Amino acid sequence: MNKDDCIFCKIAKGEIPHDRFYENENFVAFLDISPVAKGHSLLIPKKHIIWMQEADDLIISEIFKLSKKLMLAIKNARGCDYIELSVIGKDIQHFHIHLIPRNLGDNLHQFSTIKYKEGEIDEIIKKIISAF
């Protein structure tokens, strides 16, 4: 897959609708379209990097420092116990990090998705931005 066909590159450029709540010159964070929990977010580099191991050390350092900040914001916004972080990347070949709000004992499975109620996306985004 090249960057012209990459859905995450298109999201980073604003070419595809998405629920973005954070952006800087190198990264974009937005809500996952198939969330397993409310507030389930993705953090991606704007640069097309297929696999994490292909990223330079500066990108790795920056994305994980930013992940920590976003984890705190999402945790505060959602009132959950912790944020699960995972790097998968096989479905969309563009390095990305999943940030998933979790509660102890929630028995959440990553492969079962949920649906948002009307207006919940805007409410969650406002809370995350406010907490950031």
Side-chain angles (χ1 to χ4, degrees), residues 22-36:
Y22 179 86
E23 177 178 13
N24 67 19
E25 66 183 52
N26 296 319
F27 304 101
V28 176
F30 52 95
L31 295 180
D32 193 302
I33 62 167
S34 296
V36 298

Side-chain angles (χ1 to χ4, degrees), residues 34-36 40 84-88 98 100 102 107-113:
S34 296
V36 298
H40 177 174
E84 178 179 321
L85 181 147
S86 65
V87 179
I88 303 172
H98 288 261
I100 304 170
R102 299 290 307 269
N107 296 318
L108 180 68
H109 300 286
Q110 278 195 359
F111 305 107
S112 301
T113 61

Side-chain angles (χ1 to χ4, degrees), residues 87-98:
V87 179
I88 303 172
K90 70 176 180 107
D91 294 329
I92 298 177
Q93 293 183 358
H94 182 120
F95 172 34
H96 58 285
I97 295 177
H98 288 261

Side-chain angles (χ1 to χ4, degrees), residues 3 6-14 46-48 94:
K3 64 182 178 180
C6 175
I7 191 169
F8 283 173
C9 287
K10 291 177 181 182
I11 286 172
K13 293 176 194 170
K46 289 182 176 179
K47 179 180 177 183
H48 184 70
H94 182 120

Side-chain angles (χ1 to χ4, degrees), residues 36-77:
V36 298
K38 293 177 182 178
H40 177 174
S41 304
L42 298 174
L43 175 59
I44 64 169
K46 289 182 176 179
K47 179 180 177 183
H48 184 70
I49 301 168
I50 296 174
W51 304 110
M52 181 179 150
Q53 65 269 19
E54 295 172 350
D56 64 42
D57 289 346
L58 183 59
I59 292 289
I60 297 295
S61 175
E62 287 180 0
I63 201 167
F64 280 99
K65 286 179 184 177
L66 181 54
S67 291
K68 180 182 176 185
K69 291 178 183 178
L70 292 173
M71 290 167 84
L72 291 169
I74 294 166
K75 182 179 182 292
N76 289 332

